[in-house]
Amino acid sequence: MDRRVQKVVDCMKSNLGQELALDEIARSVNLSPSRLRCLFKAETGMPPTQYLKHLRMQEARELAENTFLNVKEIMNRLGLRDESHFVRDFKKIHGLTFSQFRGNGNHQKSMAQGQGTPNT
């Protein structure tokens, strides 16, 4: 992977709860926003904003599996504000709404196996 794209991915992973402006990220790797979008998509198969959303939904799933945090607490940790968008995006990526995911026992099973730490 191009080192500049890897640097952007690392930045995204380290700052999942922060607003990330594409122009600032592009500047940090000495690229224009349009060039970064093009290079990023060529390297990852998706634009930076979609990649960030995917990372956030992966983290949301991990938090749902391994903590007792509710939807709003998880959204807050991930810097997300719109619950309807969160639920829609979660379902699109994971095939279930957040409530359905938790209702399937994924959360309880993970906690019973000692894979998570309760955060109440």
mmCIF file of all heavy atoms in Angstrom, residues 1-11 13:
data_model
loop_
_atom_site.group_PDB
_atom_site.id
_atom_site.type_symbol
_atom_site.label_atom_id
_atom_site.label_comp_id
_atom_site.label_asym_id
_atom_site.label_seq_id
_atom_site.Cartn_x
_atom_site.Cartn_y
_atom_site.Cartn_z
ATOM 1 N N MET A 1 0.844 -1.177 0.000
ATOM 2 C CA MET A 1 0.000 0.000 0.000
ATOM 3 C C MET A 1 0.890 1.242 0.000
ATOM 4 O O MET A 1 1.898 1.276 0.701
ATOM 5 C CB MET A 1 -0.930 -0.014 1.220
ATOM 6 C CG MET A 1 -1.853 1.195 1.296
ATOM 7 S SD MET A 1 -2.999 1.202 2.693
ATOM 8 C CE MET A 1 -4.163 -0.028 2.188
ATOM 9 N N ASP A 2 0.502 2.232 -0.768
ATOM 10 C CA ASP A 2 1.222 3.506 -0.810
ATOM 11 C C ASP A 2 1.369 4.047 0.618
ATOM 12 O O ASP A 2 0.412 4.036 1.395
ATOM 13 C CB ASP A 2 0.438 4.489 -1.692
ATOM 14 C CG ASP A 2 1.141 5.809 -1.862
ATOM 15 O OD1 ASP A 2 1.072 6.627 -0.914
ATOM 16 O OD2 ASP A 2 1.723 6.036 -2.932
ATOM 17 N N ARG A 3 2.556 4.502 0.960
ATOM 18 C CA ARG A 3 2.821 4.969 2.332
ATOM 19 C C ARG A 3 1.921 6.122 2.742
ATOM 20 O O ARG A 3 1.551 6.252 3.909
ATOM 21 C CB ARG A 3 4.288 5.329 2.509
ATOM 22 C CG ARG A 3 4.742 6.489 1.662
ATOM 23 C CD ARG A 3 6.208 6.864 1.886
ATOM 24 N NE ARG A 3 6.648 7.822 0.912
ATOM 25 C CZ ARG A 3 6.290 9.095 0.891
ATOM 26 N NH1 ARG A 3 5.479 9.566 1.801
ATOM 27 N NH2 ARG A 3 6.731 9.919 -0.051
ATOM 28 N N ARG A 4 1.547 6.978 1.779
ATOM 29 C CA ARG A 4 0.670 8.101 2.106
ATOM 30 C C ARG A 4 -0.734 7.615 2.445
ATOM 31 O O ARG A 4 -1.354 8.099 3.391
ATOM 32 C CB ARG A 4 0.632 9.103 0.956
ATOM 33 C CG ARG A 4 2.011 9.753 0.718
ATOM 34 C CD ARG A 4 2.096 10.446 -0.592
ATOM 35 N NE ARG A 4 1.946 9.468 -1.686
ATOM 36 C CZ ARG A 4 2.035 9.755 -2.969
ATOM 37 N NH1 ARG A 4 2.251 10.999 -3.353
ATOM 38 N NH2 ARG A 4 1.910 8.825 -3.893
ATOM 39 N N VAL A 5 -1.205 6.646 1.689
ATOM 40 C CA VAL A 5 -2.527 6.074 1.977
ATOM 41 C C VAL A 5 -2.491 5.353 3.321
ATOM 42 O O VAL A 5 -3.412 5.484 4.127
ATOM 43 C CB VAL A 5 -2.985 5.129 0.845
ATOM 44 C CG1 VAL A 5 -4.251 4.385 1.221
ATOM 45 C CG2 VAL A 5 -3.181 5.903 -0.455
ATOM 46 N N GLN A 6 -1.419 4.622 3.591
ATOM 47 C CA GLN A 6 -1.289 3.943 4.881
ATOM 48 C C GLN A 6 -1.291 4.938 6.031
ATOM 49 O O GLN A 6 -1.898 4.691 7.070
ATOM 50 C CB GLN A 6 -0.012 3.091 4.924
ATOM 51 C CG GLN A 6 0.095 2.248 6.179
ATOM 52 C CD GLN A 6 -1.039 1.263 6.319
ATOM 53 O OE1 GLN A 6 -1.290 0.473 5.425
ATOM 54 N NE2 GLN A 6 -1.745 1.314 7.431
ATOM 55 N N LYS A 7 -0.639 6.067 5.834
ATOM 56 C CA LYS A 7 -0.621 7.106 6.867
ATOM 57 C C LYS A 7 -2.034 7.637 7.118
ATOM 58 O O LYS A 7 -2.433 7.857 8.262
ATOM 59 C CB LYS A 7 0.313 8.255 6.460
ATOM 60 C CG LYS A 7 0.455 9.318 7.519
ATOM 61 C CD LYS A 7 1.459 10.383 7.119
ATOM 62 C CE LYS A 7 1.549 11.460 8.180
ATOM 63 N NZ LYS A 7 2.473 12.536 7.817
ATOM 64 N N VAL A 8 -2.808 7.813 6.052
ATOM 65 C CA VAL A 8 -4.191 8.284 6.195
ATOM 66 C C VAL A 8 -5.034 7.228 6.907
ATOM 67 O O VAL A 8 -5.817 7.551 7.806
ATOM 68 C CB VAL A 8 -4.792 8.651 4.819
ATOM 69 C CG1 VAL A 8 -6.281 8.918 4.921
ATOM 70 C CG2 VAL A 8 -4.069 9.861 4.229
ATOM 71 N N VAL A 9 -4.873 5.965 6.540
ATOM 72 C CA VAL A 9 -5.610 4.880 7.199
ATOM 73 C C VAL A 9 -5.268 4.837 8.688
ATOM 74 O O VAL A 9 -6.158 4.728 9.539
ATOM 75 C CB VAL A 9 -5.314 3.517 6.527
ATOM 76 C CG1 VAL A 9 -5.843 2.356 7.363
ATOM 77 C CG2 VAL A 9 -5.916 3.481 5.128
ATOM 78 N N ASP A 10 -3.991 4.944 9.010
ATOM 79 C CA ASP A 10 -3.569 4.957 10.413
ATOM 80 C C ASP A 10 -4.177 6.135 11.162
ATOM 81 O O ASP A 10 -4.623 5.989 12.308
ATOM 82 C CB ASP A 10 -2.047 5.004 10.517
ATOM 83 C CG ASP A 10 -1.381 3.722 10.027
ATOM 84 O OD1 ASP A 10 -2.061 2.686 9.904
ATOM 85 O OD2 ASP A 10 -0.159 3.778 9.747
ATOM 86 N N CYS A 11 -4.222 7.284 10.520
ATOM 87 C CA CYS A 11 -4.827 8.478 11.115
ATOM 88 C C CYS A 11 -6.316 8.244 11.379
ATOM 89 O O CYS A 11 -6.829 8.595 12.440
ATOM 90 C CB CYS A 11 -4.618 9.677 10.194
ATOM 91 S SG CYS A 11 -5.389 11.200 10.782
ATOM 92 N N LYS A 13 -7.854 5.349 11.844
ATOM 93 C CA LYS A 13 -8.006 4.365 12.915
ATOM 94 C C LYS A 13 -7.739 4.984 14.278
ATOM 95 O O LYS A 13 -8.377 4.615 15.260
ATOM 96 C CB LYS A 13 -7.068 3.178 12.684
ATOM 97 C CG LYS A 13 -7.520 2.282 11.558
ATOM 98 C CD LYS A 13 -6.553 1.132 11.350
ATOM 99 C CE LYS A 13 -7.017 0.212 10.239
ATOM 100 N NZ LYS A 13 -6.080 -0.909 10.011
#
